[in-house]
Amino acid sequence: GGSDNGDKYSKYRIYTKQGNPVGYNEEGWDKHFWWKDVIEDVRGECAAMFYEDLDYVAKAIRLSFHDCKGHSEGYGCDGCVNLKHIDNIGLEGIMEKLRPIVEKYEEHLSRADTWILCALTALEISTSRTYPMNFIGRKSCEDSDEIGDGGENHGVYGDEVHTHQLVRHFTRYFGFDAKCTVAVMG
């Protein structure tokens, strides 16, 4: 991969080990000739899991939030959540539930990308809106176990955060009301 063949995807200069374009795509990768089927299959498996137990919808959204928030380098989304930290209590179940999907598609997507794709699917189920997969190519952390337990032992919310502070934070930064905040908190 990497040749400029004049199509609209040639501007993406990051490639997977299979030579497929990755990176940011404003339109989303969902309709890209190569990624379409993979994304559709992962979304289908995530949706099937969610419809078996709707509790996993909120848990998948919460997992992606915890994965992407609070790293010392300022960037998360690495497919790792340290289950030893108190902020991450209750995430092990969804991590276990996603493991077979992650393993099935690991040739194409990182654990981080699969978690995000399942979270986008969960958002679609809970809001009836469409959330395209705009970025592919996240790198999963290397210091975790098979479900993604590992990485930095960092908190998401801080050590002394109370309910009112959390609701205020989520309202200010994400536009959440108290009900949405509770859903994300698990």
Side-chain angles (χ1 to χ4, degrees), residues 37-53 56-57 60 63 93-122 125 133 140 146-148:
D37 291 340
V38 173
I39 290 172
E40 191 175 288
D41 290 349
V42 173
R43 283 184 184 271
E45 292 200 30
C46 294
M49 176 189 67
F50 297 143
Y51 285 121
E52 283 180 18
D53 186 346
Y56 286 113
V57 170
L63 175 63
I94 185 66
M95 292 164 71
E96 286 282 356
K97 200 76 168 160
L98 290 173
R99 180 182 174 189
I101 300 171
V102 168
E103 290 174 350
K104 184 173 181 178
Y105 295 97
E106 67 187 351
E107 180 182 331
H108 307 291
L109 298 169
S110 66
R111 179 175 48 242
D113 282 338
T114 302
W115 283 5
I116 293 296
L117 189 49
C118 284
L120 292 172
T121 304
I125 289 170
M133 183 69 164
S140 294
E146 62 279 348
I147 66 167

Side-chain angles (χ1 to χ4, degrees), residues 81-101:
V81 171
N82 193 315
L83 294 174
K84 293 181 181 107
H85 197 283
I86 193 168
D87 287 351
N88 300 323
I89 290 174
L91 292 174
E92 184 174 5
I94 185 66
M95 292 164 71
E96 286 282 356
K97 200 76 168 160
L98 290 173
R99 180 182 174 189
I101 300 171

Side-chain angles (χ1 to χ4, degrees), residues 18-87:
Q18 297 88 6
N20 300 306
V22 296
Y24 181 77
N25 181 340
E26 187 174 333
E27 300 162 11
W29 290 104
D30 304 67
K31 294 184 175 129
H32 183 268
F33 66 92
W34 194 90
W35 288 110
K36 181 180 186 273
D37 291 340
V38 173
I39 290 172
E40 191 175 288
D41 290 349
V42 173
R43 283 184 184 271
E45 292 200 30
C46 294
M49 176 189 67
F50 297 143
Y51 285 121
E52 283 180 18
D53 186 346
L54 288 174
D55 287 344
Y56 286 113
V57 170
K59 292 175 182 182
I61 296 167
R62 180 174 174 238
L63 175 63
S64 69
F65 183 79
H66 284 241
D67 179 33
C68 296
K69 176 96 170 87
H71 291 262
S72 63
E73 298 167 6
Y75 174 78
C77 300
D78 64 357
C80 273
V81 171
N82 193 315
L83 294 174
K84 293 181 181 107
H85 197 283
I86 193 168
D87 287 351

